[in-house]
Amino acid sequence: MRKNLLFIIVFLSFATTMSAALKIDHIEPANWFAGMKKPCLQLMVYGKDIRQAEVTTDYPGVTIDSLVRLDSPNYLLVYLNLKGAQPGVMTLDFKNGKQKKSVSYELKQREKPGFQREGFSNADVLYMLMPDRFASGSDANDQIKGMNTYVNDRTQPSLRHGGDLEGLRQHLDYFVELGVTALWLTPVLENNSPDHNGFSTYHGYATTDYYKVDPRFGTNDEYRRLVDEAHQHGLKVVMDMIFNHCGFDHPWVKDMPSKDWFNLSDWLKESNGTSNPTGTSFLQTSYKLTPVVDPYASEVDKRETVEGWFVTTMPDLNQRNTHVITYLIQNSMWWIETVGIDGIRMDTYPYADAQRTAS
């Protein structure tokens, strides 16, 4: 009897301990850099019911400026001040009632200060290419388990053809022989949208993860290797970034961080979370650029250009939301520091909300 009672007590204690751990799926960005000119860092924490958590750290030189609790219970924004922080691994302690979770977060050493990065100019000769269409260097990434359904078929113009970053790396001499000085790759980030009626997102303009290279192209490390070897060949690399919109299969669409994370997000509820605009208040952009720069343009025309979605399957991000624009700006910085890109080509730039400051 005593043994049974002891077993029950131990089991209940174990079960209580197990339930006392907060669920944190991941944090974006996954790491940051010490010595940045602007010491503010936004961490976007993903996890079930993480919104109400308190966060502390005792890492030297790091203070927590604020916690922003969004509409969804599954996100928490942590704003840190890193002034004076040195490279190393800090511990972030999350607590929500009796639930606790400690997470290690790395501050890396910058390879060089920003002013030493040269960038590209009108003296460069750019070669634009789509990685999916250029060359395949490996068959191992043609079919990736766990991704939404897709097909590689070079006979179909709107499906994937299987090109990857390794294929580009293997042909760097070709670009040198052509006489170009910079490579502009269409987006290489994850585009995990399923094929639909013979169409795919092979082009890369429907991002579903802003911090991850699409596995069909390779890995973040392979991207870094490509950039490093391009530099060794005297070639620059320009990264195509898409901050006006994301892909419909981005986690933000299924679980919106806040009701104003997207422009005109109400129609998603009207369409029951689908991309079918029939019978809803959906507004597509007019594709007219003059209202953005015309001081006499009507507010109706301006709104249609900027807030209207590019297409129904690419949710339009609201850069007037200071947390959204901070996320996007940090993402640019992270890729520059992480893989050493030499410039950014900003997709659909005129359609994004004009916002020049971020907290």
Side-chain angles (χ1 to χ4, degrees):
M1 179 67 178
R2 289 181 178 178
K3 290 183 178 179
N4 290 339
L5 182 59
L6 180 61
F7 173 79
I8 293 173
I9 292 173
V10 172
F11 176 79
L12 290 176
S13 176
F14 176 76
T16 301
T17 302
M18 291 295 289
S19 65
L22 275 174
K23 175 67 173 175
I24 296 178
D25 295 328
H26 65 283
I27 297 176
E28 293 175 340
N31 63 270
W32 198 243
F33 305 89
M36 299 289 279
K37 185 175 182 181
K38 187 174 183 180
C40 179
L41 170 63
Q42 176 207 85
L43 299 181
M44 190 168 199
V45 185
Y46 297 69
K48 183 173 174 56
D49 298 323
I50 192 66
R51 176 177 58 189
Q52 296 306 318
E54 297 297 331
V55 188
T56 58
T57 185
D58 60 1
Y59 193 80
V62 176
T63 58
I64 297 177
D65 280 346
S66 63
L67 301 177
V68 178
R69 309 184 194 282
L70 302 171
D71 297 331
S72 169
N74 304 316
Y75 301 91
L76 176 67
L77 296 180
V78 181
Y79 281 90
L80 303 177
N81 190 311
L82 308 181
K83 188 176 183 179
Q86 298 300 309
V89 179
M90 75 170 84
T91 298
L92 297 171
D93 295 310
F94 294 80
K95 182 179 181 181
N96 187 5
K98 295 182 179 181
Q99 294 183 320
K100 299 178 181 179
K101 179 77 171 182
S102 294
V103 177
S104 296
Y105 192 86
E106 184 177 8
L107 293 177
K108 293 185 176 183
Q109 176 68 53
R110 299 180 73 184
E111 294 184 355
K112 54 186 173 182
F115 69 85
Q116 290 183 4
R117 296 190 180 276
E118 181 181 351
F120 70 100
S121 71
N122 57 7
D124 285 298
V125 179
L126 271 73
Y127 183 108
M128 178 189 177
L129 60 90
M130 286 188 173
D132 178 74
R133 293 299 198 256
F134 188 77
S136 175
S138 171
D139 295 333
N141 53 17
D142 285 349
Q143 280 296 323
I144 304 295
K145 292 183 179 179
M147 301 200 77
N148 286 324
T149 305
Y150 69 96
V151 174
N152 278 331
D153 187 346
R154 296 185 66 181
T155 69
Q156 300 299 314
S158 294
L159 293 180
R160 297 180 184 273
H161 289 187
D164 51 33
L165 297 180
E166 177 61 16
L168 288 172
R169 189 191 67 80
Q170 294 175 6
H171 290 82
L172 291 175
D173 288 337
Y174 166 74
F175 298 115
V176 174
E177 292 171 4
L178 282 180
V180 302
T181 63
L183 305 179
W184 162 14
L185 283 58
T186 57
V188 299
L189 300 184
E190 182 191 89
N191 271 246
N192 191 19
S193 301
D195 292 354
H196 181 68
N197 292 333
F199 289 87
S200 70
T201 56
Y202 70 89
H203 46 72
Y205 289 98
T207 309
T208 54
D209 190 329
Y210 281 97
Y211 284 95
K212 180 182 178 183
V213 167
D214 193 295
R216 288 160 292 207
F217 293 154
T219 65
N220 288 13
D221 288 340
E222 287 178 306
Y223 189 21
R224 175 60 195 248
R225 182 185 180 188
L226 170 64
V227 173
D228 284 346
E229 294 197 18
H231 290 166
Q232 293 169 16
H233 283 72
L235 298 167
K236 299 175 182 179
V237 178
V238 177
M239 186 171 182
D240 205 324
M241 293 184 172
I242 317 94
F243 289 169
N244 176 65
H245 51 262
C246 65
F248 204 85
D249 288 86
H250 194 290
W252 291 338
V253 178
K254 296 179 177 63
D255 184 8
M256 270 187 283
S258 63
K259 59 181 179 294
D260 63 344
W261 202 258
F262 296 110
N263 287 318
L264 308 173
S265 59
D266 285 347
W267 87 269
L268 282 172
K269 298 176 183 178
E270 298 169 11
S271 65
N272 296 316
T274 71
S275 58
N276 181 3
T278 305
T280 70
S281 59
F282 175 74
L283 178 65
Q284 190 159 323
T285 184
S286 63
Y287 304 107
K288 297 176 181 178
L289 303 184
T290 50
V292 179
V293 294
D294 183 358
Y296 303 106
S298 73
E299 292 302 317
V300 172
D301 287 340
K302 289 180 183 178
R303 179 174 179 269
E304 187 177 25
T305 298
V306 175
E307 296 187 33
W309 289 25
F310 202 70
V311 292
T312 61
T313 55
M314 295 180 179
D316 204 79
L317 293 166
N318 174 21
Q319 294 83 21
R320 297 184 307 279
N321 180 319
T322 186
H323 308 303
V324 173
I325 193 62
T326 299
Y327 179 98
L328 298 173
I329 291 172
Q330 283 188 176
N331 183 253
S332 296
M333 296 176 179
W334 189 86
W335 283 109
I336 293 169
E337 297 288 333
T338 300
V339 300
I341 57 172
D342 303 286
I344 295 169
R345 181 264 175 178
M346 188 57 64
D347 179 62
T348 56
Y349 171 76
Y351 302 103
D353 298 279
Q355 171 64 277
R356 293 177 175 80
T357 60
S359 62

